[in-house]
Amino acid sequence: MIHLQSEELLHKTIENFMIESDKVAHVQIGNNLEHALLVLTKTGYTAIPVLDPMYRLHGLIGTNMIMDKIIGLKRIEYEKLDQIPVEQAMKTDIPRLKINDPLLKGLGMVVDHGFVCVENEEQLFAGIFTRRTILKQLNKVIRNFNK
Ligand code: 4BW
Ligand code: 4BW
């Protein structure tokens, strides 16, 4: 029975577990680093997706990437923040999942990444798959196993 429960879980798709795009904080291509830093600070996340107006995924921007861009030889050059667009600082080589990928694929990917962006059949951003989501599910399975 317990085995069956975990088998069922692993055969579900990413779509069943992702945070939908409308609940994901993001910035748009063309936004400057000052805006990105404001969004990151206000939401409390360390990294968020960068999308275009069509909702295509271009990369991720994080506080570390922003700071790296404005660290000068002697000081942090904050005045550069509103001059640099996010596309000059974002990470573009990022892992991606499809909504129909099996949960097991996502599980393997969040070993190395705090979250992975999910795309639909039209290659548009659909949401994110996070470590928290999968750990919550595993927690449930393990607790039921111990009952
Ligand atoms: O605002 C928050 N609410 C809650 N409930 N949990 C939070 C919040 N901010 C951080 N956390 C917790 C989560 O457990 O800290 C973990 C690390 O956050 P992070 O990476 O370094 O900002 C969170 O783990 P997680 O939920 O597995 O999320 C992993 C990463 O996914 C986050 C962030 O980069 C991204 N993320 C999660 N939800 C997001 C999001 N990015 C944009 N919008 C969202 N709604
Ligand atoms: O430099 C990195 N190398 C690797 N292999 N993965 C990294 C690196 N930087 C970030 N990551 C990945 C890891 O999956 O992003 C996740 C979130 O990083 P964070 O929170 O927001 O800097 C990383 O997840 P994690 O390895 O499970 O680490 C979770 C958090 O624990 C990190 C950081 O706050 C802290 N941490 C981990 N290793 C650390 C550390 N703090 C100081 N020194 C370390 N060696």
Side-chain angles (χ1 to χ4, degrees), residues 7 9 14 19 21 29-30 33 35 39 42 45 51 59 68 70 86-87 91-92 96 98 105 116 123-124 126 131:
E7 281 280 299
L9 182 69
I14 291 296
I19 299 175
S21 58
I29 285 281
L33 294 187
H35 177 77
V39 176
K42 287 291 172 196
Y45 295 118
L51 308 177
D68 194 51
I70 61 166
V86 281
E87 49 270 38
K91 186 171 185 236
T92 53
R96 293 162 193 247
K98 296 252 174 268
K105 183 172 179 188
V116 178
Q123 326 291 310
L124 300 179
R131 267 189 196 157

Side-chain angles (χ1 to χ4, degrees), residues 19 23-26 43-49 114-115 128 130-133:
I19 299 175
K23 296 198 184 77
V24 178
H26 73 273
T43 57
Y45 295 118
T46 51
I48 52 175
F115 72 106
I128 58 172
T130 68
R131 267 189 196 157
R132 183 167 187 266
T133 312

Side-chain angles (χ1 to χ4, degrees), residues 57 96-99 117-121 123-127:
L57 174 67
R96 293 162 193 247
L97 282 163
K98 296 252 174 268
I99 50 172
C117 291
V118 185
E119 292 173 309
N120 64 20
E121 292 91 349
Q123 326 291 310
L124 300 179
F125 178 71

